[in-house]
Amino acid sequence: MMEYFAVQGGRPLEGRVLVHGAKNSALPILAATLLADGESVIHNCPDLTDISAALGILSCLGCRVRREGATVLVDTTGRRDHVVPDELMGRMRASVLFLGALLARDGEAVACWPGGCALGARPIDLHIRAFQALGAEARSWNGRLSFWARRLRGRRLALPIPSVGATENAMLAACGAQGVTLIDNPAREPEIVDLQGFLRCLGAQVSGAGTGRITVVGGRPLHPGEYTVMADRIVAATYLCAVAAAGGEGELLGTDGAHLAPVLEALETAGCETGWEPGRLWLRRKGPLGGAGSLCTGPYPAFPTDAQPLLAAALAGGEGKSKITETIFDHRFRYTQGLVQMGACIQVEGDTAWIDGRPLHGARVEAADLRGGAALTVAALGAQGASQIWGLDHVDRGYESLEQGLRALGGRICREAAG
Ligand code: EPZ
């Protein structure tokens, strides 16, 4: 059934909302449950379609999974397979993370090439090279990838770019490699530190996450663990940008600003007031929203690429000029077409968008990807009049009922069924 967000914009927000657990932390953690026999317990696990896909993969591999509210329990005792099902592999790119865990446990893993958001080319060459460096043979035939290793051996891996997924897959595979693995130039995202936290709960010897070198002492049997996933910093950024777009004030609970410095700085440059303490983060905008100057996305701790569409959506409805350069993905400005339908003045040339803020009006728009759909929703809250945002299958991959969260902040938004 086709659904859309019906948004009535143009009114300041006021409210408070609890930020749910991080999709991009929960996904590698769920893959990591395969490293141990028994039941692991994951708290603050968001209820999203990508998480459902990950639980579906675990079930297909023979694990018993169940959800009790925000807690997911994964019992791997009955696991019997190492082939990730095509349908689920094709639904999201993070399915590739199961390869590292399966390789660590069984010495083999098979899957079709991963799917996911249409953010340009999304190769997995760095994942494959990491597995090969640890001693795995890789074969690609008939659209499928298969890896096999008699024995994985620890060694030094130097990533040419700090890929989040390749770092996570290298950590997972290294847990099954005999000896010490050094991962140099890893991604430093907070979600990598969260994965390290879970691996340690399983008894793994992992250190250095968040720095320039991650060390894994692998080859030892691991046991199930219990862990609480960090809050989703991109969902938090989404809510902040919604308040920035519409004006008013919003309080976010269950999170803080520790991992959002570049986003908070950009919003303050544009005229918002922000503040945070452990467990609480707030933003208010009483005056006009100005420009954010010139900013560039990059690997953590730089401005996060996932927050780029959200900030742009707020700035487009403001009164200032901004320039955003996207350095991570080569197709991450598709959402600007929807903003232009709302009256935005945005010039995109290659990896750079120039925004000349002006009042926006409601429109019927379609999401092309996850954060792009959230961005159009943010813009609609600041726009005068009614909007419809279609393509919620993208949005539901990364947000646990975005409309409920925005309503808690005072937004006039509801989910409607077509027809
Ligand atoms: C993760 O994707 C996130 N997804 C993305 O979030 C996020 O945008 C991205 O990291 C960057 O922070 C999950 O964690 C599930 P990368 P990932 O490997 O791991 C190139 C969202 O909205 N690359 O760091 O796929 C790649 O093409 C999603 O929640 C290679 O060339 O990102 C890209 O240009 C969107 N070869 C750059 O590296 C490889 O083998 C960064 O990709 C791997 C990546």
Side-chain angles (χ1 to χ4, degrees):
M1 175 181 57
M2 296 291 282
E3 296 180 315
Y4 63 94
F5 285 153
V7 181
Q8 193 64 35
R11 190 175 69 174
L13 302 187
E14 185 173 0
R16 70 163 58 106
V17 64
L18 176 66
V19 176
H20 61 65
K23 165 178 83 84
N24 293 348
S25 177
L27 289 170
I29 285 173
L30 288 171
T33 60
L34 291 170
L35 294 173
D37 283 338
E39 183 170 79
S40 288
V41 181
I42 315 295
H43 299 295
N44 203 29
C45 187
D47 191 359
L48 313 167
T49 52
D50 270 12
I51 297 294
S52 301
L55 297 178
I57 290 172
L58 289 168
S59 297
C60 290
L61 295 172
C63 303
R64 197 163 68 87
V65 301
R66 56 198 168 91
R67 176 180 281 276
E68 292 171 1
T71 294
V72 162
L73 300 96
V74 181
D75 186 344
T76 61
T77 312
R79 188 181 65 80
R80 63 185 180 284
D81 204 344
H82 56 264
V83 178
V84 179
D86 292 3
E87 192 276 326
L88 291 167
M89 190 73 189
R91 262 166 61 184
M92 69 165 181
R93 177 178 169 78
S95 313
V96 72
L97 296 174
F98 286 85
L99 295 174
L102 288 167
L103 199 53
R105 279 309 304 277
D106 299 344
E108 59 182 320
V110 179
C112 69
W113 287 86
C117 268
L119 296 178
R122 298 190 73 186
I124 58 169
D125 56 313
L126 302 182
H127 300 240
I128 294 168
R129 279 162 52 184
F131 296 157
Q132 290 172 319
L134 294 173
E137 288 178 34
R139 281 183 61 213
S140 171
W141 46 274
N142 192 21
R144 281 170 162 256
L145 266 174
S146 70
F147 298 95
W148 179 84
R150 185 183 314 282
R151 168 172 294 288
L152 293 173
R153 290 199 180 286
R155 56 165 296 177
R156 178 177 172 271
L157 309 175
L159 291 177
I161 53 173
S163 154
V164 171
T167 301
E168 291 163 344
N169 245 337
M171 290 166 75
L172 294 170
C175 286
Q178 202 62 43
V180 179
T181 297
L182 303 174
I183 306 169
D184 285 345
N185 190 34
R188 304 179 187 216
E189 272 69 4
E191 292 77 17
I192 305 277
V193 179
D194 225 24
L195 174 60
Q196 173 179 272
F198 178 65
L199 292 173
R200 285 176 170 172
C201 272
L202 304 183
Q205 265 188 270
V206 188
S207 58
T211 72
R213 167 171 280 186
I214 295 173
T215 302
V216 181
V217 180
R220 44 193 294 165
L222 302 181
H223 52 74
E226 182 165 3
Y227 193 74
T228 298
V229 173
M230 65 181 277
D232 194 310
R233 59 194 172 101
I234 305 303
V235 170
T238 305
Y239 290 141
L240 293 175
C241 291
V243 181
E249 52 189 308
E251 184 182 26
L252 280 52
L253 303 176
T255 186
D256 58 39
H259 303 309
L260 282 172
V263 176
L264 296 177
E265 187 183 329
L267 289 166
E268 285 168 3
T269 302
C272 300
E273 295 168 66
T274 73
W276 64 273
E277 60 196 17
R280 188 168 162 264
L281 165 61
W282 63 91
L283 178 141
R284 68 173 67 89
R285 182 193 37 106
K286 298 301 182 198
L289 187 68
S294 176
L295 60 90
C296 194
T297 67
Y300 193 85
F303 192 95
T305 173
D306 293 347
Q308 173 262 95
L310 311 165
L311 179 70
L315 296 171
E319 300 178 3
K321 293 183 188 299
S322 310
K323 175 186 168 190
I324 299 179
T325 302
E326 169 61 53
T327 68
I328 304 292
F329 292 112
D330 54 12
H331 275 61
R332 195 149 214 182
F333 287 122
R334 293 173 63 184
Y335 64 90
T336 58
Q337 295 160 21
L339 296 182
V340 167
Q341 285 177 256
M342 292 180 174
C345 178
I346 300 183
Q347 188 72 29
V348 175
E349 280 176 34
D351 64 359
T352 300
W354 283 267
I355 300 168
D356 186 354
R358 60 189 55 193
L360 303 183
H361 56 74
R364 175 187 168 121
V365 291
E366 176 100 28
D369 59 61
L370 163 53
R371 306 301 172 186
L376 295 176
T377 308
V378 162
L381 286 166
Q384 285 301 331
S387 295
Q388 291 184 358
I389 290 89
W390 292 78
L392 299 192
D393 52 323
H394 294 293
V395 176
D396 292 340
R397 291 186 50 213
Y399 294 86
E400 197 176 90
S401 185
L402 179 59
E403 72 276 15
Q404 280 182 15
L406 293 171
R407 268 209 303 277
L409 286 171
R412 289 176 292 174
I413 175 173
C414 56
R415 182 183 292 249
E416 301 286 355

